[in-house]
């Protein structure tokens, strides 16, 4: 009879094979699809993606895999790492295995094609072109909620996929105070009509290659390793990790607004530094990854906003811009700080200021929840979308391209993902408070370019553990308390009181 440790070694070999498939499909092939794949290749690529997904499905549904799971589940010899591994595998496997194989394959193919149709529909500002695909996507996810199960609200099944334990009830409890706070602070600023704080026009206009060079210059300073990572230009910002030693950042840019690409790449850099800092000892355990999308997003928001829109970063960035440009671009740190914290009526989430960003998220949360609960039809989306934007932000998108079609998430199958942005912003502010207490004044560290101290604290408290612990466990251990909206509201109140002299 094979002993416990030999059996564990064999199980890890099987897990590694599953990881190879998962990383290849979700990262490397998807990265190529976003960056260099020619448009005409999508039909065959969709079949390849479906094949790899099916192979992964078969591994995790096989008798051999289930035999190992039965053996190790609650085994008395399991150490803490093995217990975490089994829990993570059970969670991942259940999400796949509960979906009938033919439906899972059909879903993978649907998403592969939907993304291409969405891109065309967005470019043409034509929701009708994408509508049939979106109807299939939401119909598919309604079925998934039944397979995955829920207690009160079917939308909870989707929330739980991205952030275990998150429910509509939890979100609504946060929003009781947060939503009116955001709307009230936004209203106060709107009444000031401060045209002196405008739209990030102070940065030099740069082409794509020049912006990419600037991104790489800054990311090296911030601690992103180009020995184990790279940055490419694509249609939508994202981070794809094949392993801690192979992290790909994809970023979009606008020639008329250098700040657009700058803050997107800082967001992705935070996630990239996270992925590169996960212990490589966790490879082959299903734990060499982030514990949840929400925590990874929280780290992205921390680097993008807490760091990127701070006074300290304004000093650091204006200094580095001068170095990068050979002294040809001189910029006032105070002007940059005020400009990147200007509050505007932007109808596009990725162009939103830090204050109104969560109002964009709340709109999507309310729409998704109503679609999954059959309180809203896909055909009604453009009208409802525009109505909510007028009510909450006082602006209406000019067309479907900058309205309901602006995000890739639904086309990519990320239904239920938007609320992770809410959790992420709260977590980012909470971690910032903890770092400020532990490492010295955060703004001073950033101004000096001392990202090593910040990265090291995050590595020791969050990054290195991968998915060994849950988001709530890591956050409580690192910050000393459970997730709360109070640090985030205090952070926004302090910043905008200072910027707008409220």
């Amino acid at each position: 009879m094979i002993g416990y440790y030999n059996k564990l070694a064999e199980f890890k070999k099987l897990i590694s094979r599953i990881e190879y498939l998962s990383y290849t499909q979700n990262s490397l092939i998807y990265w190529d699809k976003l960056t260099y794949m020619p448009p005409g290749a999508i039909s065959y690529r969709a079949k390849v993606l479906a094949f790899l997904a099916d192979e992964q499905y078969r591994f995790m549904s096989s008798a051999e895999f289930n035999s190992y799971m039965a053996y190790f589940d609650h085994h008395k010899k399991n150490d803490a790492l093995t217990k975490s591994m089994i829990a993570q595998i059970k969670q991942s496997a259940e999400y796949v295995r509960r979906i009938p194989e033919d439906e899972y394959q059909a879903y993978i193919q649907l998403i592969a094609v939907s993304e291409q149709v969405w891109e065309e529909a967005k470019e043409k500002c034509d929701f009708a072109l994408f509508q049939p695909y979106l109807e299939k996507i939401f119909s598919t996810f309604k079925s998934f909620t039944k397979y995955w199960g829920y207690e009160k609200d079917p939308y909870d099944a989707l929330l739980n996929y991205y952030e275990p334990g998150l429910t509509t009830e939890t979100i609504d409890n946060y929003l009781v105070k947060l939503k009116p706070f955001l709307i009230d602070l936004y209203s106060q600023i709107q009444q000031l009509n401060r045209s002196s704080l405008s739209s990030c026009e102070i940065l030099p206009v740069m082409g794509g290659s020049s912006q990419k060079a600037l991104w790489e210059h800054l990311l090296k300073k911030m601690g992103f390793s180009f020995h184990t990572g790279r940055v490419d230009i694509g249609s939508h910002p994202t981070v794809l990790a094949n392993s801690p030693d192979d992290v790909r950042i994809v970023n979009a840019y606008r020639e008329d607004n250098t700040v657009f690409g700058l803050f997107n790449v800082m967001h992705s850099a935070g996630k990239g530094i996270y992925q590169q800092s996960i212990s490589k000892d966790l490879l082959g355990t299903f734990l060499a990854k982030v514990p949840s999308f929400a925590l990874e997003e929280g780290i992205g928001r921390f680097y993008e906003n807490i760091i990127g829109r701070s006074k300290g970063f304004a000093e650091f960035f204006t200094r580095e811009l001068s170095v990068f440009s050979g002294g040809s671009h001189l910029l006032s740190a105070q002007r940059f700080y005020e400009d990147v914290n200007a509050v505007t009526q932007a109808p596009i989430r990725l162009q939103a200021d830090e204050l109104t960003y969560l109002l964009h998220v709340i709109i999507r949360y309310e729409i998704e929840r109503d679609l999954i609960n059959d309180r809203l039809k896909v055909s009604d989306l453009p009208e409802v979308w525009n109505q909510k934007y007028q009510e909450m932000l006082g602006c209406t998108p000019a067309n479907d391209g900058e309205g309901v079609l602006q995000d890739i998430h639904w086309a990519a199958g990320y239904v239920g993902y938007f609320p992770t942005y809410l959790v992420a912003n709260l977590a980012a502010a909470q971690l910032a408070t903890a770092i400020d207490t532990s490492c010295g004044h955060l703004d001073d560290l950033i101004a000096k370019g001392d990202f090593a101290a910040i990265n090291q604290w995050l590595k020791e408290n969050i990054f290195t553990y991968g998915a060994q612990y849950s988001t709530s466990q890591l956050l409580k251990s690192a910050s000393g308390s459970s997730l709360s909206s109070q640090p985030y509201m205090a952070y926004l109140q302090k910043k905008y009181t200072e910027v707008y002299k409220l």
Side-chain angles (χ1 to χ4, degrees):
M1 181 179 291
I2 300 177
Y4 172 87
Y5 294 105
N6 286 335
K7 204 173 182 75
L8 182 60
E10 290 299 317
F11 189 27
K12 286 185 177 180
K13 285 182 182 178
L14 178 58
I15 292 170
S16 291
R17 292 167 71 185
I18 298 171
E19 283 186 351
Y20 299 153
L21 285 168
S22 178
Y23 286 138
T24 299
Q25 174 189 323
N26 297 333
S27 299
L28 191 59
I29 290 182
Y30 191 69
W31 166 82
D32 174 70
K33 179 176 176 291
L34 288 179
T35 52
Y36 299 111
M37 187 191 80
I42 184 59
S43 180
Y44 187 74
R45 181 60 58 86
K47 294 177 182 178
V48 173
L49 287 167
F51 168 77
L52 291 171
D54 190 51
E55 287 295 294
Q56 185 179 345
Y57 183 99
R58 289 175 185 274
F59 266 122
M60 299 183 78
S61 303
S62 68
E64 181 185 17
F65 184 87
N66 287 321
S67 174
Y68 279 122
M69 286 297 296
Y71 178 84
F72 287 105
D73 196 14
H74 302 298
H75 198 290
K76 63 182 180 181
K77 288 188 178 181
N78 290 348
D79 58 14
L81 181 63
T82 306
K83 287 178 182 176
S84 295
M85 179 183 80
I86 297 300
Q88 186 66 220
I89 293 170
K90 282 179 70 175
Q91 178 180 310
S92 299
E94 284 302 303
Y95 277 112
V96 175
R97 289 189 302 192
R98 289 184 185 182
I99 302 171
E101 185 174 357
D102 60 335
E103 291 187 39
Y104 187 67
Q105 267 199 313
Y107 161 70
I108 296 297
Q109 291 193 54
L110 170 64
I111 293 306
V113 176
S114 292
E115 286 186 348
Q116 303 299 112
V117 177
W118 164 81
E119 197 165 339
E120 180 184 356
K122 181 182 178 184
E123 184 178 341
K124 294 179 177 178
C125 302
D126 184 2
F127 179 73
L129 186 64
F130 183 55
Q131 182 179 326
Y133 294 87
L134 191 57
E135 287 172 345
K136 289 179 183 177
I137 288 169
F138 272 97
S139 176
T140 298
F141 276 92
K142 286 176 188 178
S143 297
F144 285 3
T145 65
K146 295 172 184 175
Y147 297 138
W148 292 343
Y150 55 89
E151 289 186 9
K152 295 181 180 178
D153 192 305
Y155 190 57
D156 292 346
L158 306 181
L159 294 176
N160 194 64
Y161 177 79
Y162 294 111
E163 179 54 52
L166 187 63
T167 65
T168 51
E169 184 176 5
T170 304
I171 293 173
D172 290 342
N173 285 338
Y174 287 133
L175 295 184
V176 166
K177 291 183 178 179
L178 187 55
K179 184 176 177 180
F181 166 80
L182 293 171
I183 292 173
D184 179 62
L185 187 54
Y186 176 57
S187 177
Q188 289 181 51
I189 292 171
Q190 286 297 107
Q191 290 172 18
L192 293 175
N193 192 25
R194 292 280 294 280
S195 59
S196 60
L197 300 181
S198 54
S199 59
C200 303
E201 296 171 347
I202 55 173
L203 286 185
V205 174
M206 296 182 185
S209 59
S210 296
Q211 289 195 39
K212 184 172 179 287
L214 175 61
W215 303 338
E216 291 174 346
H217 174 85
L218 291 171
L219 265 54
K220 287 175 186 175
K221 297 281 185 180
M222 291 170 61
F224 179 78
S225 170
F226 282 87
H227 180 65
T228 58
R230 59 179 291 138
V231 177
D232 293 279
I233 293 175
S235 61
H236 194 83
T238 191
V239 177
L240 301 163
N242 297 297
S243 76
D245 284 338
D246 185 358
V247 179
R248 316 290 179 98
I249 290 176
V250 179
N251 196 37
Y253 72 94
R254 285 176 50 190
E255 290 193 357
D256 65 337
N257 189 342
T258 303
V259 166
F260 174 80
L262 171 66
F263 283 100
N264 282 333
V265 86
M266 287 191 64
H267 180 96
S268 295
K271 292 181 178 181
I273 292 168
Y274 189 168
Q275 293 282 1
Q276 290 176 332
S277 303
I278 293 172
S279 172
K280 287 182 282 188
D281 293 338
L282 297 176
L283 289 168
T285 66
F286 251 53
L287 298 171
K289 58 183 181 179
V290 297
S292 74
F293 292 91
L295 184 57
E296 182 187 34
E297 189 63 32
I299 297 302
R301 299 302 280 177
F302 173 82
Y303 281 82
E304 176 190 355
N305 288 334
I306 305 292
I307 289 179
R309 288 183 164 84
S310 67
K311 265 194 170 180
F313 186 78
E315 293 180 33
F316 167 79
F317 174 73
T318 52
R319 187 169 66 243
E320 290 302 321
L321 180 64
S322 176
V323 172
F324 173 78
S325 66
S328 61
H329 295 311
L330 300 178
L331 185 63
S332 159
Q334 180 64 26
R335 175 68 195 277
F336 178 80
Y337 172 66
E338 291 182 351
D339 197 81
V340 299
N341 286 296
V343 175
T344 60
Q345 287 184 313
I348 299 175
R349 179 181 61 87
L350 286 176
Q351 296 175 18
D353 55 82
E354 192 176 4
L355 173 60
T356 61
Y357 185 86
L358 279 190
L359 293 176
H360 291 259
V361 171
I362 292 167
I363 287 170
R364 288 153 177 78
Y365 160 67
E366 292 177 351
I367 285 174
E368 280 191 340
R369 183 190 58 195
D370 287 349
L371 283 166
I372 293 298
N373 280 280
D374 291 321
R375 295 193 291 263
L376 180 64
K377 294 179 180 178
V378 170
S379 58
D380 297 329
L381 271 180
E383 181 182 352
V384 172
W385 184 282
N386 292 350
Q387 180 183 347
K388 284 182 177 290
Y389 263 83
Q390 187 60 47
E391 289 174 355
M392 285 197 210
L393 289 158
C395 61
T396 303
N399 52 58
D400 291 343
E402 69 171 31
V404 70
L405 290 172
Q406 65 180 266
D407 299 304
I408 195 174
H409 295 61
W410 293 337
Y414 284 76
V415 178
Y417 185 90
F418 283 114
T420 64
Y421 293 126
L422 170 63
V423 176
N425 280 275
L426 303 188
Q430 198 156 316
L431 288 173
T433 301
I435 294 173
D436 202 74
T437 301
S438 301
C439 301
H441 193 40
L442 187 57
D443 220 37
D444 292 340
L445 294 174
I446 298 167
K448 292 184 295 184
D450 189 4
F451 296 102
I454 299 168
N455 293 340
Q456 186 60 32
W457 187 93
L458 286 166
K459 182 176 181 179
E460 291 175 358
N461 289 277
I462 303 289
F463 296 167
T464 192
Y465 299 107
Q468 290 182 74
Y469 306 103
S470 68
T471 294
S472 58
Q473 287 174 321
L474 286 169
L475 188 61
K476 189 165 187 178
S477 173
S479 70
S481 63
S482 300
L483 186 67
S484 167
S485 61
Q486 288 303 318
Y488 184 65
M489 289 192 290
Y491 161 75
L492 290 180
Q493 186 70 55
K494 180 177 182 295
K495 171 179 280 190
Y496 288 102
T497 296
E498 179 182 80
V499 171
Y500 280 91
K501 309 207 171 27
L502 298 177

